[in-house]
Amino acid sequence: MAIRSTEARHTQSEGLHARPADEVLALLLDAQVAALAAVRPALAALERVADAGAESLRRGGRLGYGGAGSSGLMALADCLELAGTFGLSPDRTPMMFAGGAAALLHMTGAVEDDPALALADLETSRLGAGDVLLVLSASGTTPYALTLAEAAQARGVTVAGFANVAGSALLARADLPVLLETGAEVVSGSTRMGAGTAQKAALNMVSVLIGLRLGHVHDGYMVNVIADNAKLLDRAARIVAAVARVSRAEADAALSQTEGAVKPAILVAQGLSPAEAQVALDRSGGHLAELLER
């Protein structure tokens, strides 16, 4: 069996244990930079994934994430941030992680080989026709990930597969394949490193583009955030003041009328009532640009 590129020996690995710390750190940093460069050829594929995800959410559907081990952790990190960054309800963005919550405290390898776990997690997610599922596997051969992809497609779910090995089974199976060809790791097979870095960067890019497509980002501001703690209240007020071009006091007053919701508060700060602001946002599909231009 041919050695997968993620399991191959890195050209600079030999003697790693005997090198000075500064050389090791420089080598590791260079490898991370190279991993990020591997994302650039996938930009067109990432745009297709973002468009599919945004369309699903726009229609009231779901955007799911799935994976095992290090790839699952990259998926989980992006998934958990969607609520705080873009105001997306967690029930719209289900996460399927091999082994569940227990595996987050003590990761074991066996769970990634169990197709039954994948089927049970998919059932719990309630993903169905018209939804989108992002499945990650560095090797592109993880049984948990492949089972998720196949079973989701049988339900009418569009599957975006992210893998770091060209020609892998996940990429062949996926409706929207994303190849992040990072190659050998400095620590052989440790895909939490280069492969994980590329996966995390790619997911960051997809989720931000989805936020833009849905109107949840305006001029680089997180305008769909719901302020529910001191940090977010301060951030929300600064966003409202900047976008609506009003004082901080006016921004605070507007937010108090919208229960911390930034988008309607921006319009309230410009003279609309909360009800009028919501009607306007519903008509614009949640996008502020055309409303502010008026």
Side-chain angles (χ1 to χ4, degrees), residues 173-194:
R173 158 67 60 180
D175 303 296
L176 300 169
V178 179
L179 171 61
L180 305 169
E181 198 163 13
T182 48
E185 302 282 1
V186 176
V187 177
S188 299
S190 182
T191 52
R192 70 186 180 86
M193 302 176 71

Side-chain angles (χ1 to χ4, degrees), residues 100-160:
L104 296 176
L105 298 177
H106 180 66
M107 290 180 63
T108 59
V111 291
E112 72 177 43
D113 294 330
D114 190 343
L117 286 178
L119 294 175
D121 290 346
L122 181 62
E123 184 68 27
T124 301
S125 77
R126 296 184 295 146
L127 289 175
D131 292 335
V132 174
L133 173 61
L134 313 185
V135 181
L136 282 76
S137 167
S139 68
T141 61
T142 307
Y144 180 90
L146 291 175
T147 301
L148 273 182
E150 182 175 3
Q153 286 174 323
R155 290 170 169 243
V157 176
T158 297
V159 171

Side-chain angles (χ1 to χ4, degrees), residues 4 6 136-142 145-146 162-165 168-172:
R4 294 188 296 268
T6 51
L136 282 76
S137 167
S139 68
T141 61
T142 307
L146 291 175
F162 294 70
N164 300 78
V165 177
S168 56
L170 179 58
L171 296 179

Side-chain angles (χ1 to χ4, degrees), residues 38-74:
V39 180
R40 187 170 294 279
L43 292 182
L46 296 177
E47 181 178 355
R48 289 190 288 270
V49 173
D51 286 344
E55 181 59 25
S56 174
L57 292 169
R58 188 181 293 114
R59 293 195 317 264
R62 291 182 171 85
L63 173 68
Y65 288 72
S70 297
S71 295
L73 291 176
M74 297 304 101

Side-chain angles (χ1 to χ4, degrees), residues 261 263-264 267-268 272-284:
K263 274 188 192 177
L267 300 178
V268 168
L272 297 185
S273 70
E276 290 170 336
Q278 193 55 59
V279 168
L281 287 167
D282 290 342
R283 288 176 176 167
S284 71

